Amino acid sequence: MDELRSGLNKPSHFRLGLAMWSHSNWQESVYGHGIKQAERLARYATIFNTVEGNTSFYATPAQQTVMNWHSATPDDFRFTFKLPHTITHQKLLQYCGQELKDFFQVMAPLIDKTGIWKIQLPAHFGPENLPVLAQFLNQVPQGLTYGVEVKHAAFFAKGEAERALNRLLIDKKVNRIIMDSRPLFALPPSNAAIIDAHKKKPRVPVHAIATANHPVVRFIGQADDAVTRLAQQGASALSKDNDAFFDNWLAQLPQWLTEGREPYLFIHTPDNETAPELAIRLYQKLRSQIATHIQLAEINLLEKKPEETSPQMGLSW
């Protein structure tokens, strides 16, 4: 196991992960035969070196759960946890000192393994609320790395509101989380997963700006089966596939790496069933693009069926 974890989890300038570490449809590609649900995080962490911890948005986990997550992951693994919605959405970052204290007290065992603490703000949090955000960034525990995700249209209009937001984040050394949902919205609403994703994911322009040293990109790709099916049907709405949309990042991510930044890339699909395969394929494209400048580890999913696969995963330099 130690040898396996010498791959992507070695200290590097790049972090790749998914929207979750537990999915019932990843048994063949990620987990393998005999892996129990409680063991999924440990297996996931032999392939990817970060993950989106969205469960903290809905409820603060139990102390024992936090300890279990810590023990399941190697030292160089990095979680990214959303602050609870009671802080970001219900109280809109105001009068939440006790909630903030309680949350970080529970999460304290994972402080050293959390790369980004994510402040996801609702769509109605607009330019007039920037002073509140500034005050909140002074209130949160200092010395940690934060990321802010906004959805208000004014923050994507390249006007004074967006410039003010970027100035604030740069001044506070806080990362602006970048959502790339172009592949998702290139798909027609042809099944329940896509329809649901269209409702929940923001359709905002992609502004690839690094306001601090850990830019975060959330790439909402197309499910492989949907791409194949729609292509066979000749769907005109499917103007580009995942690779075509990702080509922009083949230039931007290497630029951040050469600047000494440590970008985080999270790969989603509407139902996340084929997200691991998509993540590996896009990662291999990135490796090929920058191989002459920066060496990234080679990572692989399981290639055999669970019953034919050894307990270890394929991961090597």
Side-chain angles (χ1 to χ4, degrees), residues 18-267:
L18 307 177
M20 59 192 70
W21 63 74
S22 181
H23 196 298
S24 58
N25 289 91
W26 294 353
Q27 202 66 38
E28 292 193 20
S29 62
V30 175
Y31 307 126
H33 181 67
I35 295 297
K36 300 177 182 178
Q37 187 166 351
E39 301 168 333
R40 288 179 176 180
L41 174 57
R43 179 55 65 90
Y44 170 97
T46 65
I47 305 175
F48 302 101
N49 59 7
T50 189
V51 70
E52 291 192 17
N54 294 324
T55 56
S56 59
F57 178 75
Y58 302 101
T60 300
Q63 190 76 69
Q64 185 57 53
T65 300
V66 171
M67 297 299 296
N68 292 343
W69 292 345
H70 187 281
S71 62
T73 50
D75 291 343
D76 192 52
F77 188 85
R78 293 294 178 266
F79 293 91
T80 68
F81 286 112
K82 289 182 182 178
L83 269 59
H85 74 285
T86 53
I87 294 174
T88 58
H89 285 58
Q90 293 182 11
K91 296 201 169 185
L92 295 178
L93 311 184
Q94 299 184 85
Y95 314 111
C96 54
Q98 189 60 51
E99 290 85 353
L100 201 59
K101 180 180 179 181
D102 293 343
F103 174 70
F104 277 101
Q105 184 173 357
V106 171
M107 303 299 289
L110 282 172
I111 290 289
D112 62 329
K113 288 189 177 182
T114 301
I116 308 283
W117 298 94
K118 299 165 73 174
I119 305 167
Q120 186 183 69
L121 298 172
H124 58 272
F125 192 99
E128 69 279 4
N129 300 116
L130 283 181
V132 174
L133 176 59
Q135 183 177 9
F136 182 76
L137 293 176
N138 289 331
Q139 182 183 5
V140 295
Q142 301 301 297
L144 305 181
T145 302
Y146 296 95
V148 170
E149 182 177 326
V150 293
K151 300 179 182 179
H152 195 284
F155 294 135
F156 298 89
K158 296 186 177 181
E160 180 52 36
E162 184 171 9
R163 287 190 290 270
L165 169 66
N166 291 339
R167 284 196 301 266
L168 171 62
L169 298 181
I170 291 171
D171 179 61
K172 300 294 185 182
K173 296 180 173 58
V174 171
N175 303 277
R176 179 169 178 176
I177 296 173
I178 303 160
M179 172 74 75
D180 188 350
S181 58
R182 294 172 301 159
L184 169 65
F185 288 101
L187 290 173
S190 58
N191 62 40
I194 299 174
I195 293 172
D196 185 60
H198 278 198
K199 292 178 180 178
K200 293 181 178 179
K201 303 297 184 184
R203 189 172 190 173
V204 294
V206 181
H207 291 181
I209 179 175
T211 57
N213 287 330
H214 300 81
V216 181
V217 178
R218 302 178 67 205
F219 186 85
I220 318 298
Q222 303 165 352
D224 291 340
D225 59 340
V227 173
T228 301
R229 184 179 66 256
L230 291 168
Q232 291 172 346
Q233 296 171 355
S236 59
L238 194 63
S239 58
K240 293 183 179 180
D241 61 13
N242 289 308
D243 289 28
F245 285 111
F246 193 71
D247 283 348
N248 300 102
W249 296 111
L250 292 179
Q252 184 61 70
L253 289 167
Q255 179 180 330
W256 284 335
L257 287 165
T258 56
E259 292 171 356
R261 303 183 193 272
E262 185 176 300
Y264 283 66
L265 174 64
F266 294 104
I267 303 299

